[in-house]
Structure formats: structure tokens, C-alpha cells
Amino acid sequence: MTDRRTTDVSLQTDPVIEVYKKDIDRTLLVENLRLTPAARLARLRQFMNSMAELRGASRRPV
Amino acid sequence: MMDFGRLIAVLANHEVEFIVIGGIAAAGHGSARATYDVDVVYGRSGENLGRIVAALDPLHPYLRGAPAGLPFRLDVETLRRGLNFTLATEAGALDLLGEVTGGGGYENLLQHSMETQAFGTKFQMLDLPTLIRIKRAAGRPKDLEAIAELELLLEMQHERE
């Protein structure tokens, strides 16, 4: 069964994946889709750098 | 320190034939999930293997998870004898994949990739439908949520068209 509305024409709907879709935060996706691919990657890079900094800070003695 | 932008730029600036797949490609298509490595499918020609070695050598690539002191040198012969390599580099984790399940190698995937400009360079990134297809083909339970998100992104893109 192929559902053109919910998936690409060449992708068959998987009922397990459909269940997972219910818990995805669409607001984040809407926000990302407003950006260019370059801006999305820059944002991820910034996020990952912040995570690395946070991880380093948590290892340093107070 | 991990810097996936640096890894991609290094490969692109050495004119390596590669396609970004995995979590970085997902983020490029709008995914909101974090990722901790760079996955690329690379061309297997001898020239390209030489370019990979030249690009990565300054980043001191080593087999990820291998015990320290294990003799390993990423050279053309090593690449030729293997196919998929999970590497640790000074710019972060890099998975060099000669082939992926459900997608094949570089030549097969090139027609399903798109030129992307980021990190001050241009490179090929796998398109969204193919990214979904190879993630589905991998059949890993841990990917289910990521696949669901990618399919939602595809639906949302269709709705916007």
C-alpha cells in the first residue's frame, strides 16, 4: 500500500514508523524548513560546539 | 574537538569524491536531531583513495574503538583492502563507507545527491527520499524515530510544493 499523501511515491507506509511520527515535535521541523540547508547545518554545528563546551565544563573541577 | 564542518571542508577542499549521508544529511534536510559523527560514501577509484589519504592524514585518523598502540595507518592500500571504516580523527568521528545497504556505492548514489554549499565549500549530500530508503534498508530499530522524522519532513516538503 502506497500513500502519496504521507510518503514519497516510492516509499510504502510502514505502520510502525507511522506510530513513531505521532511523537515527533513538528514545530522544530517547521522552524528548520524555513532555513536554507547551509543555515540548518550551521545551527547544528553551533549546537554541537555548545554541547562539547558543556561536556568539558562538567568534567572540570569546581 | 569534534567539528564536522571542518571534516567536510577538508574532504571537499581536497576534491575527494564523497556524498554526505546519515545524521548530517538529515540535519541538512531539516532534522532536529543531534549527531556525533560524519557519515560519507566515498568513490573507490585509486585517485580518490589518494585524495582521501591526503585530506585526512593531517587529522591523524585512527580506527575508532581500537586499543591504543594498535598499528594502523590510513593509506591507499589500507583503503583498497577494506570497504567501510569507522575512524576517529582530530576533527571528530568519521565513517568512510564504500557501500551502504539499500544504496550501493558512490556511483549509484551520486544521481540521488544534491550539491550543497556550507562550511565555505560545496559538497554532495544525499537527497531526502534516498536517505529514508537507506535508513529503512539498514533495518535498525534505533533508526525508527529518525526515519519517522525524515518521512515527516518529506511530507511537509510535499505540502509546501
Side-chain angles (χ1 to χ4, degrees):
Chain A
M1 182 178 71
T2 301
D3 184 345
R4 176 69 177 80
R5 187 179 55 81
T6 57
T7 61
D8 182 71
V9 282
S10 56
L11 290 172
Q12 291 198 324
T13 302
D14 181 324
V16 176
I17 292 170
E18 294 303 309
V19 171
Y20 276 88
K21 283 182 188 173
K22 291 174 188 157
D23 293 325
I24 306 284
D25 185 343
R26 292 170 191 240
T27 61
L28 294 173
L29 306 187
V30 169
E31 202 175 315
N32 283 348
L33 285 176
R34 290 198 188 107
L35 305 172
T36 63
R40 292 170 198 151
L41 291 173
R43 198 180 203 189
L44 175 66
R45 191 184 200 184
Q46 193 177 21
F47 173 75
M48 297 309 291
N49 287 346
S50 301
M51 290 293 286
E53 198 176 322
L54 187 64
R55 211 171 285 129
S58 70
R59 286 198 198 106
R60 280 193 292 273
V62 182
Chain B
M1 178 180 159
M2 182 196 173
D3 185 349
F4 62 81
R6 181 180 167 206
L7 261 177
I8 290 171
V10 159
L11 292 173
N13 293 341
H14 280 78
E15 299 181 349
V16 172
E17 293 173 342
F18 71 102
I19 301 167
V20 174
I21 65 167
I24 303 291
H29 289 298
S31 165
R33 299 165 67 83
T35 187
Y36 294 90
D37 62 4
V38 175
D39 299 315
V40 304
V41 175
Y42 66 97
R44 295 279 295 165
S45 72
E47 276 185 6
N48 200 48
L49 300 186
R51 288 191 284 257
I52 291 171
V53 170
L56 295 182
D57 193 55
L59 299 177
H60 304 111
Y62 195 69
L63 287 175
R64 205 158 70 234
L70 189 80
F72 174 77
R73 182 176 164 77
L74 188 73
D75 54 23
V76 170
E77 199 48 39
T78 303
L79 287 172
R80 205 188 300 277
R81 287 183 182 177
L83 185 65
N84 295 341
F85 299 86
T86 53
L87 302 173
T89 78
E90 287 181 6
L94 172 67
D95 288 1
L96 274 179
L97 307 170
E99 281 182 11
V100 288
T101 306
Y106 175 82
E107 302 298 337
N108 288 335
L109 289 174
L110 192 57
Q111 59 189 316
H112 299 292
S113 69
M114 49 193 274
E115 187 175 81
T116 306
Q117 195 161 358
F119 317 123
T121 191
K122 287 179 184 171
F123 56 92
Q124 294 294 321
M125 188 170 79
L126 199 62
D127 68 29
L128 185 51
T130 312
L131 190 58
I132 293 168
R133 263 199 294 276
I134 64 168
K135 275 217 177 274
R136 277 187 170 207
R140 299 180 302 191
K142 70 168 190 168
D143 284 337
L144 287 171
E145 195 177 323
I147 295 169
E149 187 196 46
L150 293 174
E151 290 192 8
L152 270 179
L153 284 165
L154 193 60
E155 292 166 25
M156 291 161 85
Q157 283 181 8
H158 283 160
E159 285 164 11
R160 286 156 61 106
E161 285 167 3

